[in-house]
Amino acid sequence: MKALYGQQNSPGEEMTFVLQERENLPACRDHDVKVQVRACALSWVDTKLLSEIKLKKELVPVGREISGVVLEVGSKVTFFQPDDEVVGILPLDSEESGVCEIILVHEHYLVHKPEKVCWAEAAGTVRDGLRAYTALHYLAQVSPGTSVLVLDGASPFGTIAIQLAQHRGAKVISTAHSLEDKQYLERLRPAGARVIDVSHGKIDVAESCLEETGGLGVDIVLDAGVRLYSAEDEPASKSQLLPHKHDIITLLGVGGCWITTERNLQLDPPDSHSLFLKGATVSFLNDEIWNLSNVQQGKYLTILEDIMEKLSNRIFRPQLDEPIPLYEAKVSMEIVQKNQARKRQVIQF
């Protein structure tokens, strides 16, 4: 039985991926569920976070969002029984690679998968759904009538965030990084999101958003990374299509909330003063918090159940690539790790 692992020989080096034969599974512990994996979505491996929380290993298990069928349950498992269809996210400290035919998972990381939802969609939506819920329900309170700016809305995460915000009755504005992205966003159902095409670099996002909101500014901004410096000083890896932090502060409305994925965000005193005058807040989006502490376990499982329900009712329509066979997992994971995949990559067994 093969499983996918990542290796990083020295810090700063690119990760390499290997499909390795794994030993036989140990017996089910009291709260373990043995799952036959049917699909596993691939996500970027955050090596920096792993080393910061002392979880860096020589071989890092890859593939954490899984869907599959329960084969066997431990003696104290109460939520599941054999033949149940399940979906979940393996915790950061998991020894298991989701890109493996059979794995052991603690029951508190799984929820039931609705019958109407296919394996690939369940695995491919669960993390983006969790991120969208964390951002729009816990870091900000999206409600009918609020205006939400989703940057890079055609990404897998952006797509789900737009759909969740619209479902909650928010007015959505989104940016597109290419003509294909713009056409994709305009075809999204339900229609109604205003799309700003930034691919030519000629359009001022702040100006467009202020115009769209009658000069009041946006209530919630969900970024996909921001530029912190002038174009000459910015590292080459940073896309020039990303807005500058000053643009985001400018377009935020009074009492607005900026939710950022920029872990090294630097705010100078004038930036802080602008945010103070608006009574605005900055929140950092790190969806790993749910599994780093068990305090919110019940809330976390409720979110996963809600994501599956919305997927079943077609409120969520994820941005997925064609399912990938196991023998192509290594190549696909290299593309994901380099942030070159525009659609969510899912391995299907």
Side-chain angles (χ1 to χ4, degrees):
M1 204 162 46
K2 282 188 160 62
L4 187 65
Y5 296 91
Q7 278 176 313
Q8 192 181 28
N9 299 327
S10 60
E13 239 187 54
E14 273 187 10
M15 233 185 178
T16 54
F17 298 96
V18 287
L19 271 169
Q20 268 203 350
E21 279 295 334
R22 57 166 297 175
E23 301 124 35
N24 291 333
L25 280 181
C28 264
R29 292 184 300 261
D30 288 350
H31 288 281
D32 278 351
V33 177
K34 188 185 275 189
V35 178
Q36 180 176 10
V37 178
R38 291 294 178 84
C40 175
L42 300 178
S43 298
W44 182 71
V45 179
D46 192 341
T47 49
K48 196 163 182 239
L49 178 66
L50 288 173
S51 58
E52 280 168 356
I53 59 175
K54 308 285 187 284
L55 286 177
K56 197 77 182 290
K57 301 189 268 283
E58 197 180 323
L59 282 177
V60 179
V62 171
R64 290 172 48 212
E65 302 90 78
I66 57 117
S67 60
V69 180
V70 175
L71 296 176
E72 192 187 323
V73 296
S75 59
K76 291 185 180 171
V77 171
T78 52
F79 293 166
F80 305 103
Q81 51 195 34
D83 297 329
D84 281 354
E85 297 184 351
V86 294
V87 59
I89 302 174
L90 303 182
L92 263 179
D93 60 356
S94 172
E95 299 289 329
E96 301 278 353
S97 160
V99 185
C100 183
E101 284 174 26
I102 296 171
I103 60 171
L104 287 178
V105 193
H106 192 288
E107 66 170 331
H108 291 162
Y109 296 116
L110 297 170
V111 294
H112 289 276
K113 178 188 82 65
E115 265 181 55
K116 283 199 291 187
V117 177
C118 74
W119 302 112
E121 281 196 345
T125 311
V126 68
R127 177 174 294 280
D128 292 320
L130 179 65
R131 284 173 70 89
Y133 264 82
T134 306
L136 295 174
H137 280 290
Y138 292 95
L139 300 178
Q141 275 70 48
V142 70
S143 57
T146 49
S147 51
V148 179
L149 170 64
V150 179
L151 293 156
D152 192 13
S155 65
F157 166 56
T159 300
I160 297 294
I162 289 172
Q163 290 164 350
L164 180 60
Q166 285 188 320
H167 178 65
R168 289 283 179 256
K171 177 185 178 182
V172 180
I173 306 167
S174 179
T175 60
H177 286 190
S178 66
L179 182 61
E180 291 81 14
D181 286 359
K182 183 173 186 277
Q183 289 167 343
Y184 169 75
L185 288 167
E186 285 169 347
R187 287 195 308 270
L188 263 187
R189 291 287 170 266
R194 160 90 164 86
V195 182
I196 302 168
D197 185 358
V198 296
S199 57
H200 309 299
K202 293 173 189 162
I203 289 180
D204 187 321
V205 176
E207 208 175 286
S208 302
C209 288
L210 288 169
E211 196 180 309
E212 196 65 29
T213 56
L216 295 173
V218 174
D219 298 316
I220 300 168
V221 177
L222 198 46
D223 76 24
V226 289
R227 286 185 293 124
L228 303 175
Y229 314 106
S230 58
E232 309 82 64
D233 301 332
E234 203 67 67
S237 58
K238 267 272 168 81
S239 167
Q240 289 303 309
L241 298 176
L242 293 175
H244 197 280
K245 61 179 176 178
H246 295 146
D247 295 335
I248 291 189
I249 292 168
T250 303
L251 62 82
L252 257 184
V254 171
C257 179
W258 170 15
I259 298 161
T260 183
T261 55
E262 188 63 56
R263 67 179 65 193
N264 298 320
L265 182 68
Q266 290 176 318
L267 294 177
D268 305 316
D271 301 331
S272 299
H273 189 63
S274 296
L275 290 166
F276 166 76
L277 290 174
K278 293 182 178 195
T281 56
V282 179
S283 297
F284 291 88
L285 177 56
N286 174 11
D287 52 287
E288 299 295 358
I289 53 165
W290 296 103
N291 282 333
L292 288 173
S293 159
N294 291 334
V295 174
Q296 311 261 14
Q297 198 69 36
K299 206 177 271 186
Y300 168 68
L301 291 176
T302 305
I303 295 172
L304 298 193
E305 283 168 357
D306 213 38
I307 293 163
M308 287 303 117
E309 190 187 317
K310 285 186 172 45
L311 200 49
S312 177
N313 297 336
R314 307 305 292 158
I315 291 162
F316 286 164
R317 291 185 166 88
Q319 167 82 304
L320 302 183
D321 221 334
E322 290 296 314
I324 299 155
L326 179 61
Y327 61 83
E328 286 180 19
K330 226 171 75 165
V331 178
S332 298
M333 192 58 215
E334 281 163 8
I335 293 166
V336 169
Q337 194 64 14
K338 288 174 185 164
N339 281 323
Q340 290 171 350
R342 285 300 287 161
K343 294 182 178 180
R344 179 65 66 215
Q345 307 291 302
V346 182
I347 307 296
Q348 188 137 21
F349 292 88

